[in-house]
């Protein structure tokens, strides 16, 4: 099973600040996907195939990476971005999620 | 529009079983696998497995092979997950979800809260 380790676990950013969340895989994966989850709600697809934005996702979000290291970046933090973000991979018929990064506004 | 409607919250006793449902609408049920995901309170997401509604083929996360059983009823476009020999570790919210045309886990049910308590 491929283990995904996210960092940081929690963070707070000021409005307008650049934010980067990292996801490291225990073995190389071809793609990484990201989900946003707000309290009491189901997760939403956010970034897929490493760098493609899901429908409705603001273009201040971006994704990048390859191999064992991937990241989600917010160019300019906004209040509505407060949420928990999870990375996810599927390879060798095994699917795993990262431990999550809780992002708050300062 | 695609909709996955899950059954309501369940309170079950330790050692018992529970069967959760996920009723699909807005698309051809047999065209997409249904996956199930566990989220313990305040914790991350765990993939349980998936079922191919067309063939009934299942693929489980090794961790859940003896815990979860996935089935479907094509006549009602409903997927089911039965959890057996429940313990407090099984208390969690369980989601059904499916891929979009190109987007992983594009659609999610609203989740079913399972509480295991005597």
């Amino acid at each position: 099973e491929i283990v995904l380790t996210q960092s940081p676990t929690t963070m707070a950013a000021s409005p307008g600040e650049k934010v980067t969340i990292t996801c490291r895989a225990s073995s190389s994966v071809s793609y990484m996907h990201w989900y946003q989850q707000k309290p009491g709600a189901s997760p939403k697809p956010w970034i897929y195939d490493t760098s493609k934005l899901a429908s409705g996702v603001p273009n201040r979000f971006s994704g990048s990476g390859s191999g064992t290291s991937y990241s989600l970046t917010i160019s300019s933090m906004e209040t509505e971005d407060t949420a928990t973000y999870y990375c996810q991979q599927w390879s060798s018929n095994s699917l795993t999620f990262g431990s999550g990064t809780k992002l708050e506004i300062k | 529009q695609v909709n996955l409607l899950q059954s309501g919250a369940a309170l079950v006793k330790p050692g018992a079983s529970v069967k959760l449902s996920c009723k699909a609408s807005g698309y051809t049920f047999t065209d997409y696998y249904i996956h199930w995901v566990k989220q313990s309170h305040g914790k991350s997401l765990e993939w349980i497995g998936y079922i191919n509604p067309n063939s009934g083929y299942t693929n489980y996360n090794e961790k859940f092979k003896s815990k979860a059983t996935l089935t479907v009823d094509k006549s009602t476009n409903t997927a089911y997950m039965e959890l057996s020999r429940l313990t407090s570790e099984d208390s969690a919210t369980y989601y059904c979800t499916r891929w979009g045309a190109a987007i992983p886990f594009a659609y999610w049910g609203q989740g079913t809260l399972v509480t295991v308590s005597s």
Side-chain angles (χ1 to χ4, degrees):
Chain A
E1 175 182 286
I2 295 178
V3 176
L4 301 180
T5 303
Q6 287 185 236
S7 60
T9 303
T10 61
M11 70 174 296
S14 301
E17 185 178 347
K18 182 179 180 179
V19 171
T20 299
I21 298 169
T22 298
C23 179
R24 298 196 189 280
S26 58
S27 297
S28 181
V29 299
S30 299
Y31 295 102
M32 193 63 70
H33 316 293
W34 296 86
Y35 300 84
Q36 181 197 68
Q37 187 178 34
K38 297 199 173 187
S42 304
K44 292 181 178 180
W46 213 246
I47 295 174
Y48 67 101
D49 292 353
T50 302
S51 60
K52 299 175 183 176
L53 301 186
S55 177
V57 175
N59 60 14
R60 62 180 176 274
F61 283 86
S62 63
S64 64
S66 65
T68 60
S69 184
Y70 293 83
S71 62
L72 177 158
T73 300
I74 307 173
S75 60
S76 179
M77 176 75 182
E78 295 197 9
T79 304
E80 67 178 21
D81 301 335
T82 298
T84 300
Y85 294 86
Y86 296 96
C87 55
Q88 175 253 311
Q89 68 80 33
W90 190 4
S91 65
S92 304
N93 226 15
S94 174
L95 192 156
T96 53
F97 291 91
S99 49
T101 295
K102 186 175 183 180
L103 176 60
E104 298 171 325
I105 193 85
K106 274 186 192 173
Chain B
Q1 68 284 16
V2 175
N3 191 39
L4 300 173
L5 183 62
Q6 297 187 236
S7 47
L11 172 61
V12 291
K13 295 188 185 312
S17 298
V18 67
K19 193 170 187 178
L20 312 184
S21 67
C22 171
K23 184 171 177 59
S25 60
Y27 72 100
T28 302
F29 182 58
T30 50
D31 280 355
Y32 293 90
Y33 296 178
I34 293 287
H35 295 247
W36 291 83
V37 173
K38 176 185 180 182
Q39 186 169 39
S40 302
H41 183 66
K43 299 285 181 63
S44 183
L45 305 161
E46 287 186 280
W47 176 69
I48 295 170
Y50 69 76
I51 184 166
N52 178 339
N54 191 42
S55 65
Y57 173 80
T58 53
N59 181 33
Y60 294 93
N61 179 341
E62 196 68 33
K63 177 180 177 180
F64 291 96
K65 272 188 174 176
S66 59
K67 173 62 64 177
T69 302
L70 305 183
T71 57
V72 296
D73 181 344
K74 288 191 281 188
S75 69
T76 61
N77 291 349
T78 303
Y80 297 92
M81 177 173 68
E82 184 168 19
L83 301 170
S84 60
R85 297 180 302 278
L86 292 165
T87 73
S88 59
E89 295 295 308
D90 299 314
S91 293
T93 296
Y94 293 86
Y95 295 99
C96 61
T97 177
R98 58 148 273 207
W99 239 244
I103 299 177
F105 294 154
Y107 305 99
W108 294 73
Q110 82 278 22
T112 295
L113 176 63
V114 173
T115 303
V116 182
S117 174
S118 55

